[in-house]
Amino acid sequence: MASQTNKYWVVGVLLSAAMTGCKVPKVTQIQENKQVPQQFAEALAQDTTNSANMKWRDFFSDPNLVALIDTALKNNQELNVTLQELAIAKNDILLRKGALKPSVGLRAGGGVEKVGRYTSQGAGDASTEIAPGKEMPDPLGDLKIGAYASWEIDVWKKLKDSEQAALNRYLATVEGKNFVLSSLIAEVARSYYELLALDNQLTIIKQNIELQDNALEVIKLQKQAARVTELAVQKFQAEVLKTKGMEFETRQQIKETENRINFLLGRFPQEIKRDKSSFVDMVPAKVQTGIPSQLLSNRPDIREAEYELAAAKLDVQIARKEFYPSLEISAALGLQAFKPSYLFKMPESMLYNIIGELAAPLLNKNGLKAEFNTANSKQIQAVYNYEKAILNAYLEVSTQLSNIENLGKSYDFKTKEVEVLNNSVTVSDDLFKSARADYMEVLMTQRDVLDSKLELIETKKQQLNAVVNIYKDLGGGWK
């Protein structure tokens, strides 16, 4: 009767310990805000047509640019690094999935043991006969071969949650790869347009050098005729030298831009194939923005943050379930004997066992609490990161819409400015030759023409880049 009472007491202690282990901290609940404005205030038309759904091959019409992007997608080192991160995340899923299944293995081993004669085991072996008249050998050998298995029963779905968290992180890595794709395509396009702009600026600088050289010759003739002083000659000479210096600065910028493109393409320096004459005539593509809510599905960085948030929520649940009791079953089946000749003697050499173990944390749970608190804080961070990604996406599109509109108006005015200044060059030359204007007016007019033409090219580049940026900001390029 006393023995039966002791059994019940032991069971009661175990259940009490298990229940004590089930007291877990609460999860901080923060509901993420997915709300975005119903429309972009800067957009002229409001419908669901969205340029982000266009494939990049259809969005970019320049065949040279398409070829460069193709090469970048094959060779870019950053993209290749991201693809390896994708493989790592995929392997983590297999690791978590494996934890749900029993672990089974084979084990074989041998050894020898000599115990003291005046010990309980030594005395017992000495008085034991393995056969009539045959004592236990001393020292005693031990040979063993068998299979063993262990399995943690996923009572609380902790292991399943861990697998799902790994899957969410894999999907987040996929979206991260898509974001790298989108960013890479946009960076190649922006660098390509910058290169074309520099080519055209170099052409303008060369033309201006020729114009200034001609003006310098006129000034020298005027000096010989005593109509101007040496100061005028020196002023024009300095202007020519300044513009020639700009030529080599621009050549260096072209080289740096070419090398930047080659780096994005994962290759050593070589000339970038391009049509230098088509830049001025390029018309920025018309972009359809759709509605803001489409950003949630089109932007890879938002989708990445969403999957990271889902994984972080599961991490909190996993850390919480660490406080619950765990149930593990282990088993073994094999053969064991002290001599090889007895190893396969059945059933005497057979061994087997099966053990069920219930374990729950009882004291000193600071480690589990720290793990839970860390997971809880990371979940809160993930909420804020998700909301930040949504806000950032909307503001980026809004900024680029405004940028496109203002650059269009600026380009129109700068085009008219260049036309007026081109005419003023001829007028200033004529006035100077007829002694109705001084050399400084000619000099300043030529300088203004050069500056305005360079600014016009810069504005054209900014227009093209603004279209590239909004295509990326809408979530285009990775599909």
Side-chain angles (χ1 to χ4, degrees):
M1 185 67 181
S3 175
Q4 190 74 8
T5 302
N6 289 338
K7 289 181 181 179
Y8 288 138
W9 181 83
V10 171
V11 172
V13 169
L14 289 175
L15 289 176
S16 176
M19 294 304 294
T20 304
C22 288
K23 294 180 181 179
V24 298
K26 293 183 179 180
V27 179
T28 302
Q29 298 291 343
I30 296 183
Q31 185 61 39
E32 62 273 11
N33 181 16
K34 299 183 179 181
Q35 296 298 320
V36 292
Q38 293 184 353
Q39 60 186 24
F40 296 106
E42 298 81 3
L44 298 177
Q46 300 293 338
D47 57 45
T48 56
T49 305
N50 196 319
S51 295
N53 295 323
M54 292 179 63
K55 295 181 179 179
W56 66 265
R57 291 181 184 275
D58 298 327
F59 187 79
F60 298 107
S61 57
D62 188 328
N64 293 319
L65 175 56
V66 170
L68 292 173
I69 294 174
D70 255 335
T71 304
L73 295 181
K74 295 175 184 175
N75 300 335
N76 182 262
Q77 284 87 354
E78 183 179 357
L79 180 59
N80 289 333
V81 168
T82 305
L83 293 176
Q84 293 307 308
E85 291 176 355
L86 199 62
I88 293 171
K90 191 173 183 179
N91 288 332
D92 193 43
I93 298 176
L94 296 178
L95 177 65
R96 306 294 178 182
K97 190 187 291 289
L100 286 164
K101 300 177 181 178
S103 174
V104 181
L106 294 175
R107 184 178 296 161
V112 65
E113 182 182 25
K114 173 69 172 73
V115 297
R117 174 66 178 79
Y118 301 110
T119 63
S120 59
Q121 182 180 344
D125 290 346
S127 61
T128 302
E129 294 182 344
I130 59 173
K134 192 172 184 181
E135 296 181 354
M136 291 284 291
D138 186 25
L140 185 67
D142 184 24
L143 300 174
K144 185 187 298 184
I145 183 172
Y148 64 93
S150 63
W151 184 24
E152 181 178 351
I153 308 299
D154 196 19
V155 179
W156 314 109
K157 304 299 181 184
K158 178 180 68 175
L159 300 178
K160 189 65 179 177
D161 286 348
S162 180
E163 180 193 3
Q164 185 61 46
L167 176 60
N168 285 330
R169 288 201 164 85
Y170 168 76
L171 295 174
T173 307
V174 172
E175 298 301 336
K177 181 264 296 181
N178 292 338
F179 187 71
V180 171
L181 275 175
S182 181
S183 300
L184 175 61
I185 291 170
E187 182 62 23
V188 172
R190 285 193 297 263
S191 299
Y192 178 75
Y193 291 140
E194 181 179 349
L195 184 58
L196 291 180
L198 289 169
D199 288 335
N200 282 262
Q201 287 178 339
L202 181 61
T203 300
I204 291 171
I205 291 171
K206 288 180 177 179
Q207 292 172 352
N208 215 65
I209 289 173
E210 184 179 354
L211 179 66
Q212 290 175 347
D213 280 335
N214 293 335
L216 178 60
E217 294 302 319
V218 172
I219 292 295
K220 288 180 178 179
L221 292 174
Q222 294 283 15
K223 179 180 178 285
Q224 292 174 3
R227 294 183 58 183
V228 297
T229 64
E230 178 64 20
L231 179 61
V233 176
Q234 293 297 325
K235 284 284 187 180
F236 269 83
Q237 183 74 46
E239 193 68 17
V240 172
L241 294 173
K242 177 184 176 183
T243 309
K244 287 183 176 179
M246 290 177 61
E247 175 186 352
F248 292 99
E249 289 175 2
T250 305
R251 288 184 183 276
Q252 177 60 25
Q253 289 177 328
I254 289 174
K255 184 64 176 178
E256 291 175 0
T257 305
E258 282 188 319
N259 283 343
R260 183 165 71 247
I261 294 175
N262 281 316
F263 178 76
L264 293 172
L265 271 57
R267 66 189 189 186
F268 289 100
Q270 56 183 275
E271 185 179 359
I272 303 299
K273 185 178 179 182
R274 58 199 186 269
D275 183 3
K276 302 177 182 180
S277 62
S278 63
F279 182 76
V280 177
D281 298 326
M282 283 184 175
V283 179
K286 186 178 180 181
V287 178
Q288 301 290 333
T289 60
I291 55 178
S293 60
Q294 291 174 318
L295 293 172
L296 302 180
S297 58
N298 287 339
R299 287 270 301 218
D301 55 334
I302 294 179
R303 292 162 61 89
E304 180 182 14
E306 185 177 11
Y307 283 122
E308 289 289 357
L309 174 57
K313 288 181 177 180
L314 287 171
D315 286 343
V316 176
Q317 296 300 327
I318 294 167
R320 192 168 185 265
K321 291 172 182 177
E322 290 291 345
F323 291 86
Y324 296 170
S326 61
L327 176 61
E328 184 171 341
I329 298 175
S330 60
L333 175 64
L335 302 172
Q336 184 175 20
F338 58 81
K339 287 181 65 177
S341 58
Y342 294 147
L343 186 60
F344 297 99
K345 188 175 183 181
M346 303 293 285
E348 290 85 353
S349 62
M350 179 178 290
L351 70 86
Y352 61 85
N353 65 59
I354 182 167
I355 302 170
E357 185 176 67
L358 181 68
L362 184 59
L363 298 175
N364 194 17
K365 295 185 286 186
N366 290 336
L368 294 179
K369 290 178 181 178
E371 183 180 356
F372 173 82
N373 290 335
T374 298
N376 198 36
S377 295
K378 287 184 177 180
Q379 176 209 202
I380 296 172
Q381 280 184 332
V383 171
Y384 293 141
N385 284 332
Y386 179 57
E387 292 178 345
K388 183 178 73 173
I390 295 175
L391 177 61
N392 180 63
Y394 182 86
L395 293 177
E396 283 182 345
V397 174
S398 176
T399 299
Q400 290 305 326
L401 282 173
S402 176
N403 193 27
I404 289 172
E405 181 181 1
N406 290 324
L407 285 172
K409 294 176 180 178
S410 176
Y411 187 81
D412 291 339
F413 282 112
K414 288 186 181 296
T415 301
K416 294 176 182 178
E417 178 187 354
V418 169
E419 292 175 358
V420 171
L421 288 173
N422 276 332
N423 294 332
S424 69
V425 171
T426 304
V427 172
S428 66
D429 286 344
D430 293 340
L431 291 174
F432 177 74
K433 291 175 182 177
S434 62
R436 296 166 62 188
D438 62 24
Y439 70 91
M440 284 302 297
E441 290 178 295
V442 177
L443 186 65
M444 294 306 297
T445 302
Q446 291 180 351
R447 184 180 296 175
D448 290 343
V449 169
L450 175 60
D451 291 342
S452 64
K453 287 182 177 179
L454 295 179
E455 288 175 2
L456 183 65
I457 294 297
E458 180 67 21
T459 304
K460 170 67 76 171
K461 181 195 78 174
Q462 291 176 1
Q463 277 188 301
L464 294 169
N465 282 346
V467 171
V468 173
N469 289 337
I470 198 169
Y471 177 61
K472 170 184 171 291
D473 294 341
L474 289 170
W478 59 272
K479 294 182 179 180

